Amino acid sequence: NGIGGRVRAVNCKVQEIGAEFNGFFDAVMCNPPYLKREDGESCADLNIAACKKEIFLTFEELAAAVSKKLKFGGRFYLCHRCERLAEVIYCLKCAAIEPKRVKFIAAKSGEAPYLFLMEGVRGGRAGFKVEKEGVNDAVYSFDADRQSQGHNA
């Protein structure tokens, strides 16, 4: 796709990204751990547990770190569980990231959503839009409801 020279992957904790990247990014995408440290069943494998639970990073800490790294007007895209929606919105607003759009995702048509996709803008003005709900047998973006044949989102 021709972007190899412009993209660099860095494997580190978000809190350890250097100050030289403050206000640097146009967009950040994240699939954070859905569960608080004390929620759900325990897992003996720390690597798996860290993917599921806020062991090394709370959502509040993530929002603050992302806010530092985004340019003014930069966008933060994330997915999270519906039961944490109020907390996510609160943490984003506290970190000067204004929630702009949300799309709820259900496992099957007619079922209650279990997940949401959200877009926030660092330093954005108030204004919030709820997008048409999606079903988990499609591939999503905020800009189009495209369904891929044979692929699950």
Side-chain angles (χ1 to χ4, degrees):
N1 63 8
I3 64 169
R6 300 182 318 195
V7 175
R8 179 177 60 144
V10 177
N11 183 13
C12 71
K13 294 179 181 178
V14 68
Q15 310 96 305
E16 296 172 357
I17 297 173
E20 68 271 20
F21 291 106
N22 287 354
F24 181 81
F25 295 101
D26 294 312
V28 172
M29 293 170 271
C30 187
N31 181 4
Y34 294 154
L35 301 173
K36 291 183 173 268
R37 182 181 197 112
E38 63 276 2
D39 292 346
E41 296 179 24
S42 61
C43 180
D45 185 328
L46 183 59
N47 291 321
I48 292 173
C51 292
K52 295 180 178 184
K53 296 184 171 200
E54 296 177 339
I55 292 174
F56 300 113
L57 177 76
T58 66
F59 189 80
E60 182 177 14
E61 293 167 333
L62 173 65
V66 167
S67 183
K68 285 181 187 175
K69 303 310 172 190
L70 282 173
K71 292 178 179 177
F72 187 85
R75 298 180 182 277
F76 182 33
Y77 300 95
L78 68 125
C79 61
H80 220 303
R81 286 192 169 181
C82 288
E83 62 263 24
R84 299 210 38 209
L85 178 62
E87 176 190 1
V88 167
I89 290 172
Y90 176 78
C91 289
L92 292 178
K93 290 179 86 62
C94 286
I97 299 172
E98 185 65 28
K100 301 306 281 180
R101 295 192 286 175
V102 68
K103 182 177 190 105
F104 294 100
I105 308 297
K108 295 179 183 174
S109 184
E111 290 187 359
Y114 69 99
L115 187 75
F116 64 87
L117 308 175
M118 184 171 284
E119 174 189 26
V121 176
R122 182 173 177 255
R125 289 188 241 180
F128 188 73
K129 182 177 181 184
V130 177
E131 300 282 336
K132 181 182 173 195
E133 181 180 281
V135 180
N136 203 13
D137 61 0
V139 176
Y140 300 104
S141 75
F142 277 114
D143 299 320
D145 277 334
R146 296 178 293 150
Q147 186 168 359
S148 292
Q149 300 300 326
H151 292 90
N152 289 334

